[in-house]
């Protein structure tokens, strides 16, 4: 099993550009999450999903959209990137809301 | 929103020394979790604590869920070079509709001097 994988690993965008980050898990987990990690900060939840076809807002959802069309994939979109969105983005998945979250290796995004 | 105060922010210790770090909050959590993050990787769960007063060990790691449910500590005994990394505490609460929310501390960066 690959666990949780994220694509791409690194990306540089110009302000105003759009992009989609892909998260895939092969553990048949119901729940999936997107976090961002900024220097000296803990992880902050952007959006999450409790199952295929459902999404919900987390602590810092503004400027991001998500989709969960397939159970194994969770996409994070930036429609118009801003420098404040420069961060490392982590995807995670879990069996249920009260179970261990398994994290991917992260995507480092820089917005110029 | 809920906030966790994690301390210390960073530590430099000699190999073989014991390490202690803690998290406190003004809010009550149902579960306390401790994660380790290696450079360039995602966090990995070390220990999960489910009941107030619970003391749990995982090898050289020991963690406790505070009686008030507002704090937790993590101890690492006889540190080794591979203990280097960032350690995060996280508190979990039920946020309704089958969902639970994790609130993370800002992390303790551990450096081990051989």
């Amino acid at each position: 099993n690959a666990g949780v994988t994220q694509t791409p690993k690194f990306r540089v965008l110009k302000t105003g550009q759009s992009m989609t980050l892909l998260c895939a898990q092969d553990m048949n987990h119901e729940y999936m999450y997107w976090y961002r990690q900024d220097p000296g900060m803990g992880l902050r939840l952007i959006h999450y999903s409790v199952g295929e076809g459902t999404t919900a807002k987390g602590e810092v959802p503004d400027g991001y959209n998500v989709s969960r069309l397939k159970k194994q994939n969770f996409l994070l979109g930036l429609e118009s990137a801003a420098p404040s969105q420069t961060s490392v983005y982590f995807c995670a998945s879990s069996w249920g809301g009260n179970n261990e979250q398994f994290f991917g290796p992260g995507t480092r995004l820089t917005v110029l | 929103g809920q906030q966790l105060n994690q301390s210390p922010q960073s530590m430099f210790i000699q190999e073989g020394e014991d390490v202690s770090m803690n998290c406190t909050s003004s809010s009550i959590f149902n579960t306390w979790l401790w994660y380790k993050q290696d450079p360039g990787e995602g966090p990995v769960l070390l220990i999960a604590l489910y009941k107030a007063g619970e003391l749990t060990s995982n090898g050289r790691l020991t963690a406790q869920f505070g009686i008030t449910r507002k704090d937790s500590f993590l101890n690492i005994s006889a540190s080794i070079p591979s203990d280097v990394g960032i350690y995060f505490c996280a508190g979990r609460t039920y946020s309704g509709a089958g969902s639970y929310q994790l609130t993370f501390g800002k992390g303790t960066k551990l450096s081990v001097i051989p």
Side-chain angles (χ1 to χ4, degrees), chain B residues 62-81:
Chain B
T62 301
Q64 184 157 30
F65 192 144
I67 288 291
T68 65
R69 295 168 64 191
K70 293 182 179 180
D71 63 317
S72 177
F73 72 75
L74 174 71
N75 287 343
I76 305 173
S77 62
S79 58
I80 59 178

Side-chain angles (χ1 to χ4, degrees), chain A residues 93-105:
Chain A
S93 70
S94 64
W95 284 109
N98 203 26
N99 299 110
E100 177 183 354
Q101 292 186 20
F102 293 84
F103 285 83

